[in-house]
PDB file of all heavy atoms in Angstrom:
ATOM      1  N   GLN A 147     109.860 107.954  92.311  1.00 86.00           N
ATOM      2  CA  GLN A 147     110.077 108.402  90.947  1.00 86.00           C
ATOM      3  C   GLN A 147     109.575 109.827  90.774  1.00 86.00           C
ATOM      4  O   GLN A 147     108.481 110.172  91.229  1.00 86.00           O
ATOM      5  CB  GLN A 147     109.379 107.468  89.963  1.00 86.00           C
ATOM      6  CG  GLN A 147     109.901 106.041  90.024  1.00 86.00           C
ATOM      7  CD  GLN A 147     109.186 105.118  89.058  1.00 86.00           C
ATOM      8  OE1 GLN A 147     108.219 105.521  88.394  1.00 86.00           O
ATOM      9  NE2 GLN A 147     109.654 103.883  88.958  1.00 86.00           N
ATOM     10  N   ALA A 148     110.373 110.642  90.104  1.00 89.00           N
ATOM     11  CA  ALA A 148     110.050 112.063  89.959  1.00 89.00           C
ATOM     12  C   ALA A 148     108.711 112.274  89.258  1.00 89.00           C
ATOM     13  O   ALA A 148     107.943 113.164  89.622  1.00 89.00           O
ATOM     14  CB  ALA A 148     111.166 112.774  89.196  1.00 89.00           C
ATOM     15  N   ARG A 149     108.410 111.456  88.258  1.00 87.00           N
ATOM     16  CA  ARG A 149     107.161 111.632  87.508  1.00 87.00           C
ATOM     17  C   ARG A 149     105.957 111.457  88.423  1.00 87.00           C
ATOM     18  O   ARG A 149     105.021 112.255  88.385  1.00 87.00           O
ATOM     19  CB  ARG A 149     107.093 110.634  86.352  1.00 87.00           C
ATOM     20  CG  ARG A 149     105.791 110.717  85.562  1.00 87.00           C
ATOM     21  CD  ARG A 149     105.772 109.718  84.427  1.00 87.00           C
ATOM     22  NE  ARG A 149     106.819 109.996  83.451  1.00 87.00           N
ATOM     23  CZ  ARG A 149     107.013 109.265  82.352  1.00 87.00           C
ATOM     24  NH1 ARG A 149     106.232 108.225  82.105  1.00 87.00           N
ATOM     25  NH2 ARG A 149     107.965 109.587  81.498  1.00 87.00           N
ATOM     26  N   MET A 150     105.968 110.429  89.261  1.00 83.00           N
ATOM     27  CA  MET A 150     104.857 110.215  90.172  1.00 83.00           C
ATOM     28  C   MET A 150     104.829 111.276  91.264  1.00 83.00           C
ATOM     29  O   MET A 150     103.758 111.724  91.688  1.00 83.00           O
ATOM     30  CB  MET A 150     104.929 108.812  90.798  1.00 83.00           C
ATOM     31  CG  MET A 150     103.727 108.487  91.682  1.00 83.00           C
ATOM     32  SD  MET A 150     103.756 106.814  92.386  1.00 83.00           S
ATOM     33  CE  MET A 150     103.428 105.848  90.912  1.00 83.00           C
ATOM     34  N   ALA A 151     106.019 111.704  91.724  1.00 88.00           N
ATOM     35  CA  ALA A 151     106.087 112.690  92.801  1.00 88.00           C
ATOM     36  C   ALA A 151     105.516 114.034  92.378  1.00 88.00           C
ATOM     37  O   ALA A 151     105.096 114.823  93.223  1.00 88.00           O
ATOM     38  CB  ALA A 151     107.527 112.849  93.273  1.00 88.00           C
ATOM     39  N   ARG A 152     105.499 114.315  91.086  1.00 91.00           N
ATOM     40  CA  ARG A 152     104.910 115.579  90.621  1.00 91.00           C
ATOM     41  C   ARG A 152     103.393 115.583  90.804  1.00 91.00           C
ATOM     42  O   ARG A 152     102.777 116.643  90.793  1.00 91.00           O
ATOM     43  CB  ARG A 152     105.267 115.813  89.153  1.00 91.00           C
ATOM     44  CG  ARG A 152     106.710 116.250  88.928  1.00 91.00           C
ATOM     45  CD  ARG A 152     106.897 116.823  87.541  1.00 91.00           C
ATOM     46  NE  ARG A 152     106.807 115.795  86.513  1.00 91.00           N
ATOM     47  CZ  ARG A 152     107.838 115.118  86.037  1.00 91.00           C
ATOM     48  NH1 ARG A 152     109.057 115.339  86.520  1.00 91.00           N
ATOM     49  NH2 ARG A 152     107.677 114.209  85.096  1.00 91.00           N
ATOM     50  N   VAL A 153     102.802 114.426  90.954  1.00 88.00           N
ATOM     51  CA  VAL A 153     101.345 114.314  91.108  1.00 88.00           C
ATOM     52  C   VAL A 153     100.959 113.891  92.518  1.00 88.00           C
ATOM     53  O   VAL A 153     100.057 114.458  93.130  1.00 88.00           O
ATOM     54  CB  VAL A 153     100.771 113.296  90.085  1.00 88.00           C
ATOM     55  CG1 VAL A 153      99.272 113.116  90.289  1.00 88.00           C
ATOM     56  CG2 VAL A 153     101.076 113.742  88.670  1.00 88.00           C
ATOM     57  N   LEU A 154     101.646 112.886  93.042  1.00 88.00           N
ATOM     58  CA  LEU A 154     101.280 112.262  94.304  1.00 88.00           C
ATOM     59  C   LEU A 154     102.250 112.666  95.406  1.00 88.00           C
ATOM     60  O   LEU A 154     103.460 112.485  95.276  1.00 88.00           O
ATOM     61  CB  LEU A 154     101.290 110.737  94.146  1.00 88.00           C
ATOM     62  CG  LEU A 154     100.972 109.892  95.364  1.00 88.00           C
ATOM     63  CD1 LEU A 154      99.552 110.122  95.846  1.00 88.00           C
ATOM     64  CD2 LEU A 154     101.191 108.415  95.040  1.00 88.00           C
ATOM     65  N   ARG A 155     101.712 113.211  96.493  1.00 92.00           N
ATOM     66  CA  ARG A 155     102.566 113.626  97.612  1.00 92.00           C
ATOM     67  C   ARG A 155     102.869 112.457  98.537  1.00 92.00           C
ATOM     68  O   ARG A 155     104.013 112.192  98.857  1.00 92.00           O
ATOM     69  CB  ARG A 155     101.895 114.754  98.398  1.00 92.00           C
ATOM     70  CG  ARG A 155     102.722 115.278  99.584  1.00 92.00           C
ATOM     71  CD  ARG A 155     102.021 116.470 100.221  1.00 92.00           C
ATOM     72  NE  ARG A 155     101.854 117.553  99.261  1.00 92.00           N
ATOM     73  CZ  ARG A 155     101.068 118.604  99.446  1.00 92.00           C
ATOM     74  NH1 ARG A 155     100.326 118.701 100.555  1.00 92.00           N
ATOM     75  NH2 ARG A 155     100.981 119.549  98.539  1.00 92.00           N
ATOM     76  N   ARG A 156     101.825 111.754  98.972  1.00 92.00           N
ATOM     77  CA  ARG A 156     102.058 110.624  99.874  1.00 92.00           C
ATOM     78  C   ARG A 156     100.810 109.762  99.961  1.00 92.00           C
ATOM     79  O   ARG A 156      99.700 110.206  99.640  1.00 92.00           O
ATOM     80  CB  ARG A 156     102.445 111.105 101.273  1.00 92.00           C
ATOM     81  CG  ARG A 156     101.301 111.760 102.047  1.00 92.00           C
ATOM     82  CD  ARG A 156     101.720 112.254 103.408  1.00 92.00           C
ATOM     83  NE  ARG A 156     100.580 112.759 104.161  1.00 92.00           N
ATOM     84  CZ  ARG A 156      99.860 112.030 105.007  1.00 92.00           C
ATOM     85  NH1 ARG A 156     100.181 110.766 105.220  1.00 92.00           N
ATOM     86  NH2 ARG A 156      98.843 112.550 105.661  1.00 92.00           N
ATOM     87  N   ILE A 157     101.021 108.516 100.413  1.00 91.00           N
ATOM     88  CA  ILE A 157      99.935 107.600 100.755  1.00 91.00           C
ATOM     89  C   ILE A 157     100.206 107.089 102.161  1.00 91.00           C
ATOM     90  O   ILE A 157     101.356 106.821 102.512  1.00 91.00           O
ATOM     91  CB  ILE A 157      99.856 106.411  99.774  1.00 91.00           C
ATOM     92  CG1 ILE A 157      99.564 106.894  98.352  1.00 91.00           C
ATOM     93  CG2 ILE A 157      98.779 105.414 100.215  1.00 91.00           C
ATOM     94  CD1 ILE A 157      99.609 105.786  97.314  1.00 91.00           C
ATOM     95  N   GLU A 158      99.165 106.947 102.940  1.00 93.00           N
ATOM     96  CA  GLU A 158      99.302 106.419 104.304  1.00 93.00           C
ATOM     97  C   GLU A 158      98.295 105.302 104.507  1.00 93.00           C
ATOM     98  O   GLU A 158      97.109 105.465 104.205  1.00 93.00           O
ATOM     99  CB  GLU A 158      99.073 107.537 105.323  1.00 93.00           C
ATOM    100  CG  GLU A 158      99.207 107.101 106.774  1.00 93.00           C
ATOM    101  CD  GLU A 158      98.921 108.242 107.734  1.00 93.00           C
ATOM    102  OE1 GLU A 158      99.780 109.143 107.834  1.00 93.00           O
ATOM    103  OE2 GLU A 158      97.835 108.246 108.332  1.00 93.00           O
ATOM    104  N   LEU A 159      98.770 104.157 104.980  1.00 92.00           N
ATOM    105  CA  LEU A 159      97.895 103.055 105.366  1.00 92.00           C
ATOM    106  C   LEU A 159      98.019 102.864 106.865  1.00 92.00           C
ATOM    107  O   LEU A 159      99.114 102.945 107.411  1.00 92.00           O
ATOM    108  CB  LEU A 159      98.302 101.749 104.664  1.00 92.00           C
ATOM    109  CG  LEU A 159      98.440 101.748 103.146  1.00 92.00           C
ATOM    110  CD1 LEU A 159      98.792 100.344 102.655  1.00 92.00           C
ATOM    111  CD2 LEU A 159      97.178 102.242 102.476  1.00 92.00           C
ATOM    112  N   ARG A 160      96.910 102.587 107.522  1.00 94.00           N
ATOM    113  CA  ARG A 160      96.971 102.328 108.956  1.00 94.00           C
ATOM    114  C   ARG A 160      96.017 101.184 109.288  1.00 94.00           C
ATOM    115  O   ARG A 160      95.033 100.935 108.585  1.00 94.00           O
ATOM    116  CB  ARG A 160      96.615 103.571 109.774  1.00 94.00           C
ATOM    117  CG  ARG A 160      95.255 104.139 109.492  1.00 94.00           C
ATOM    118  CD  ARG A 160      94.946 105.365 110.342  1.00 94.00           C
ATOM    119  NE  ARG A 160      93.640 105.909 110.015  1.00 94.00           N
ATOM    120  CZ  ARG A 160      92.496 105.404 110.433  1.00 94.00           C
ATOM    121  NH1 ARG A 160      92.500 104.347 111.226  1.00 94.00           N
ATOM    122  NH2 ARG A 160      91.345 105.949 110.089  1.00 94.00           N
ATOM    123  N   GLY A 161      96.337 100.492 110.388  1.00 93.00           N
ATOM    124  CA  GLY A 161      95.479  99.389 110.774  1.00 93.00           C
ATOM    125  C   GLY A 161      96.039  98.598 111.930  1.00 93.00           C
ATOM    126  O   GLY A 161      96.939  99.051 112.651  1.00 93.00           O
TER     127      GLY A 161
END
Side-chain angles (χ1 to χ4, degrees):
Q147 299 179 355
R149 178 180 297 180
M150 185 178 289
R152 285 196 290 268
V153 177
L154 178 64
R155 181 175 300 167
R156 70 181 185 93
I157 298 174
E158 181 182 287
L159 307 182
R160 58 179 178 78

